[in-house]
Amino acid sequence: MRIRREIDDLEERDIDLIATVSDALAHPVRLKLFRYIMHSNQTMEPVCNKELVEVFGYAQATISQHVKKLVKSGLVEVKKKDKYSYYYANLGMLMQYLNTTKRFSIL
């Protein structure tokens, strides 16, 4: 079956966005980390890797791998200050993802 162009208004970059962000959010630990970073940003508290290790009790390498995937998806941004990296939720990317998935579900 072939999808007509006028029905399928999603572009390749939209499909890539949905796949990348969905993959980043597909792991329960990454969901918890992202939610924690969002909440901390709302209360104006900086979040660094050391804090995430303390709060979640995972090894530093595990936290780093999960955060790296969130950063790659665009959901989290990193700002370096001295020897520390601070994490910030990119709510613009989250909204873009939600809007794109909404368009995906409408035919």
Side-chain angles (χ1 to χ4, degrees), residues 3 19-20 24 29 32 51-52 55 73 85 99 104:
I3 299 174
T20 302
V29 172
K32 291 175 188 176
E51 180 182 347
L52 294 175
V55 170
S73 73
S85 295
N99 289 333
F104 178 80

Side-chain angles (χ1 to χ4, degrees), residues 11 45 85:
E11 296 180 18
E45 296 174 30
S85 295

Side-chain angles (χ1 to χ4, degrees), residues 6-18:
E6 62 270 7
I7 292 175
D8 187 12
D9 66 341
L10 286 177
E11 296 180 18
E12 194 67 30
R13 65 181 171 81
D14 295 329
I15 299 295
D16 289 342
L17 173 89
I18 292 171

Side-chain angles (χ1 to χ4, degrees), residues 18-75:
I18 292 171
T20 302
V21 175
S22 294
D23 185 44
L25 295 175
H27 197 286
V29 172
R30 287 192 291 270
L31 275 172
K32 291 175 188 176
L33 290 171
F34 183 63
R35 188 167 186 247
Y36 182 82
I37 293 168
M38 276 195 317
H39 184 286
S40 294
N41 291 169
Q42 287 175 340
T43 59
M44 304 300 280
E45 296 174 30
V47 178
C48 66
N49 213 26
K50 180 181 176 183
E51 180 182 347
L52 294 175
V53 169
E54 290 173 5
V55 170
F56 291 98
Y58 296 107
Q60 187 272 331
T62 301
I63 295 289
S64 292
Q65 286 181 337
H66 286 302
V67 169
K68 182 179 179 181
K69 189 115 180 178
L70 290 169
V71 169
K72 186 178 177 187
S73 73
L75 288 171

Side-chain angles (χ1 to χ4, degrees), residues 76-90:
V76 171
E77 295 179 346
V78 181
K79 298 198 186 210
K80 296 188 186 271
K81 185 175 181 184
D82 299 325
K83 64 178 184 174
Y84 296 101
S85 295
Y86 293 95
Y87 305 119
Y88 299 91
N90 183 350

